[in-house]
Amino acid sequence: MNKDPYGQLASALFSSVGKHAKQALGGVGAVLGTITGTGLKLDDFKHEFQDYMVAGLPGLFSVPRHNVTGTATSAEHNWGETSFDFQETEIEDVSLKLALKPGDRVLVVQVNGGNDVVVVCKVVSANG
């Protein structure tokens, strides 16, 4: 008994469209991964990435006005109790970089159809 040729065509088109949609959406979204000694291993991908990017966080660093009090000493003198007043300061063009080591869990965004990955931040448990 032969199957319906129109049903076969519809099934083939459905399968093809599904594959293309999956391929188009591949690499979209974020995934967890682990920093290894030689690269980055994603939870949902069996191969390790040796070449990956890390997001930089450029911005303005603001330090509020504050006071530091303590004992000031050197090899020759002991000045005793000393207080330093610091004014509010803003430092431009500050870039914070992640200090990652093997075993760190990270949040990763896949870009360029999943060909490149960018580590966005380190992930820790709610308890620290």
Side-chain angles (χ1 to χ4, degrees), residues 33-39 41 100-106 122-124:
T34 304
I35 299 296
T36 67
T38 57
K41 174 72 178 78
L100 301 171
K101 60 185 182 302
D104 284 347
R105 297 285 288 155
V106 292
K122 182 176 173 179
V123 178
V124 296

Side-chain angles (χ1 to χ4, degrees), residues 26-31 40 42 44-45 48-54 107-120:
V28 175
V31 64
L40 170 66
L42 302 182
D44 68 350
F45 191 66
E48 180 179 83
F49 288 87
Q50 275 85 34
D51 185 26
Y52 61 92
M53 295 176 268
V54 178
L107 180 66
V108 179
V109 175
Q110 298 172 326
V111 295
N112 297 330
N115 293 322
D116 295 315
V117 292
V118 180
V119 175
V120 176

Side-chain angles (χ1 to χ4, degrees), residues 28-127:
V28 175
V31 64
L32 289 174
T34 304
I35 299 296
T36 67
T38 57
L40 170 66
K41 174 72 178 78
L42 302 182
D43 288 1
D44 68 350
F45 191 66
K46 67 179 180 177
H47 300 290
E48 180 179 83
F49 288 87
Q50 275 85 34
D51 185 26
Y52 61 92
M53 295 176 268
V54 178
L57 305 170
L60 179 69
F61 184 66
S62 296
V63 180
R65 178 186 170 119
H66 61 284
N67 177 283
V68 177
T69 303
T71 303
T73 61
S74 72
E76 293 111 21
H77 295 86
N78 182 355
W79 289 281
E81 189 78 12
T82 306
S83 179
F84 296 96
D85 290 315
F86 294 93
Q87 299 300 318
E88 181 176 337
T89 305
E90 289 186 343
I91 304 168
E92 294 183 23
D93 299 326
V94 173
S95 181
L96 302 176
K97 297 189 176 159
L98 294 173
L100 301 171
K101 60 185 182 302
D104 284 347
R105 297 285 288 155
V106 292
L107 180 66
V108 179
V109 175
Q110 298 172 326
V111 295
N112 297 330
N115 293 322
D116 295 315
V117 292
V118 180
V119 175
V120 176
C121 63
K122 182 176 173 179
V123 178
V124 296
S125 69
N127 299 330

